[in-house]
Amino acid sequence: MNEYTWLPFPSPTLGSGSDPRRRRALAEFLAGPENRLAETAVRLVLGGVPFFADSPLSQSLSSKVQRGKGRGDSKKGPAIGRTAFDWRLPPPQRDGGEAKVIDYMPPANLPDLFPLVFYGPSGCGKTQLAGGISRELRRRDPLSEGVFLGGEQFYRSLSDAISKNRAEGLRGYFSRCRYLVFDNVDELEEYPAGAAELLNLLKGAEKSGTAVILTLSRHPDLVHAFPAALRARLAGGFAVPVAFPSRPGRALLLRRYAEAFRIKLLERTEEFLLDVFPEPPGEMYAVFEQLYHAHHWSETLPDPEKVRDFLEKRQTRAPLSLESIAKTAARTYSVKLSELRSNTRRKTVVTARNMALFIARGAIEVTLQELGRYFAGRDHSTILHGIRSIAEKLETDDELKLQYDRIMGELNKIGKTG
């Protein structure tokens, strides 16, 4: 197996993907030695468990599945995985040599695989892993039901359903889903009722064979605000640490970012950037993107002194706010901020509003609910539609790309966007 593997998830349309180049650069997760277990977890969920003609362990796993509900089938029908590994990763090797892979088993009925919990520091890529798995499962089977929610979104959805006497309907929907992906479950620490509901959901998912994937900032045992039963349930699945890439991995990421912007990296400049850039890959990219807009690179990066000066100035700037993003979008499209925050459906205003939503979702930490409250009390589905419409148009609309670059250029002058 190569030391580094790119996990090729479908490009995201939300969150960190605030530019088509950025989505291409960040669509793949780089799994090096420090994240080999994370790569294995992705292979298990999306491909199933490989077994070999001469492997006692594989034969044992095969027997467990056969004694269960059929080859990975659950009460819902066929399991999430495929009986053939149809993803774009090469088959794994065993013991450094060639081993004959004769099949892949879907993972749904293998013990202790779900819930799958990715945990690690902010910016390490755990959300990218969970979201990438969700998008790949949806791509494979567009008609299957699945959920991707943040911890706060999960609680808000539950609270809204309870207030409207629809709690049983929401729970019933979750029980029908083939997979459930919950991001930033730590947010439920402040909502005891939400944590209790998550525990009930996990119990139901185990009975129904639903795959559950979650992300946390730390190991489940260390989330002390959760009930002991919930911590035990989370830790009893497959808890996978996700770490920042090591220096060689960061060098590969830096070259990938440069390729996305068609920039040639000088070796000495690359070494310098690795010394001064932040560790989180997303923030590393954000600094790279800001340098691109600030210095208008063509073929080579600015000299190290200019980079150091830029980074020092960046550290002194305050983070961007939702209002500064909205004001910049309004000014770029020559509309009033009050119009942007109103319910008017004038085409120019709608485009400016959606652009502000799209940039805010990728540049600052803000929830869909906060975006909705700021923009005239819109619900989260309307906010998502606006964000997705810009994401899709940026792929082909050159004029829209130009407006995006103008807004990002202005924002990079007034605050941090990473």
Side-chain angles (χ1 to χ4, degrees):
M1 182 179 291
N2 294 330
E3 188 176 13
Y4 290 92
T5 304
W6 294 95
L7 303 183
F9 296 128
S11 298
T13 57
L14 303 177
S16 61
S18 58
D19 181 295
R21 290 170 300 202
R22 184 173 191 169
R23 294 203 299 281
R24 285 192 291 271
L26 297 180
E28 299 176 325
F29 179 88
L30 180 62
E34 66 283 342
N35 283 317
R36 187 62 67 223
L37 185 59
E39 178 192 353
T40 300
V42 172
R43 286 181 182 273
L44 287 175
V45 175
L46 293 181
V49 180
F51 66 93
F52 307 88
D54 58 349
S55 168
L57 174 60
S58 295
Q59 293 172 8
S60 174
L61 291 174
S62 176
S63 298
K64 289 181 180 179
V65 173
Q66 295 286 6
R67 290 196 303 268
K69 303 166 186 172
R71 289 186 53 82
D73 290 355
S74 70
K75 295 177 182 178
K76 296 174 179 293
I80 286 177
R82 297 289 189 255
T83 54
F85 191 78
D86 62 357
W87 206 35
R88 288 173 286 173
L89 289 175
Q93 294 179 341
R94 185 169 59 83
D95 298 328
E98 295 294 336
K100 185 180 179 182
V101 179
I102 60 174
D103 202 355
Y104 279 82
M105 295 181 297
N109 293 310
L110 294 178
D112 303 326
L113 180 60
F114 295 111
L116 169 61
V117 180
F118 291 111
Y119 68 93
S122 177
C124 66
K126 55 187 183 295
T127 297
Q128 184 184 13
L129 287 172
I133 290 173
S134 174
R135 290 190 297 273
E136 176 65 9
L137 294 176
R138 178 60 57 87
R139 183 194 68 80
R140 290 180 175 188
D141 188 0
L143 299 181
S144 66
E145 292 185 291
V147 167
F148 184 101
L149 291 175
E152 183 180 355
Q153 290 176 290
F154 170 75
Y155 177 73
R156 298 299 180 193
S157 298
L158 177 64
S159 298
D160 183 64
I162 292 174
S163 67
K164 298 177 180 177
N165 295 319
R166 296 176 180 172
E168 288 303 320
L170 179 64
R171 292 169 185 141
Y173 173 72
F174 283 155
S175 70
R176 294 193 302 272
C177 289
R178 298 285 299 283
Y179 62 90
L180 301 171
V181 183
F182 297 126
D183 189 31
N184 296 322
V185 180
D186 309 64
E187 294 176 350
L188 292 178
E189 287 186 276
E190 300 179 7
Y191 308 111
E197 186 66 27
L198 178 60
L199 176 59
N200 291 330
L201 187 150
L202 291 175
K203 292 178 180 177
E206 184 177 8
K207 294 179 181 178
S208 62
T210 300
V212 182
I213 303 164
L214 309 101
T215 73
L216 288 165
S217 63
R218 53 204 186 280
H219 190 278
D221 284 340
L222 301 179
V223 188
H224 301 301
F226 279 176
L230 177 56
R231 294 200 306 270
R233 178 77 58 166
L234 293 174
F238 189 14
V240 179
V242 184
F244 293 134
S246 60
R247 188 179 180 90
R250 296 175 72 239
L252 288 176
L253 286 169
L254 191 59
R255 292 167 201 155
R256 181 63 58 95
Y257 300 159
E259 290 173 5
F261 284 87
R262 298 179 182 177
I263 294 172
K264 180 181 180 181
L265 276 176
L266 302 177
E267 184 176 350
R268 58 185 174 83
T269 307
E270 178 184 302
E271 291 298 317
F272 172 76
L273 294 180
L274 291 175
D275 288 335
V276 299
F277 269 24
E279 280 190 310
E283 188 175 351
M284 184 177 168
Y285 179 90
V287 176
F288 192 99
E289 184 182 37
Q290 290 164 25
L291 278 168
Y292 173 82
H293 287 292
H295 291 280
H296 305 290
W297 292 336
S298 54
E299 295 182 354
T300 60
L301 301 175
D303 59 67
E305 288 72 23
K306 289 183 179 180
V307 175
R308 189 184 300 278
D309 180 64
F310 177 87
L311 291 174
E312 289 177 352
K313 291 180 179 178
R314 181 179 183 272
Q315 292 298 323
T316 63
R317 292 183 296 163
L320 287 172
S321 65
L322 178 54
E323 184 165 0
S324 64
I325 293 173
K327 285 181 177 178
T328 304
R331 186 166 55 250
T332 301
Y333 281 90
S334 300
V335 300
K336 296 179 180 179
L337 178 62
S338 58
E339 291 182 293
L340 212 65
R341 299 187 62 183
S342 72
N343 287 315
T344 180
R345 299 297 301 169
R346 188 157 58 91
K347 184 177 180 180
T348 302
V349 176
V350 170
T351 302
R353 182 188 300 128
N354 290 343
M355 180 66 79
L357 290 170
F358 179 77
I359 291 175
R361 188 64 171 162
I364 63 177
E365 293 186 5
V366 61
T367 66
L368 296 176
Q369 289 75 17
E370 289 170 335
L371 289 173
R373 286 194 294 270
Y374 185 83
F375 289 99
R378 287 173 167 78
D379 61 43
H380 75 278
S381 61
T382 303
I383 297 297
L384 279 174
H385 176 75
I387 294 171
R388 286 171 175 157
S389 68
I390 293 296
E392 293 170 359
K393 292 175 182 176
L394 276 173
E395 297 286 358
T396 57
D397 192 327
D398 291 336
E399 178 62 27
L400 197 65
K401 293 178 189 176
L402 180 61
Q403 298 289 33
Y404 167 82
D405 284 337
R406 287 175 180 169
I407 295 173
M408 290 301 297
E410 290 299 313
L411 292 175
N412 284 324
K413 295 177 184 177
I414 63 177
K416 296 180 184 179
T417 58

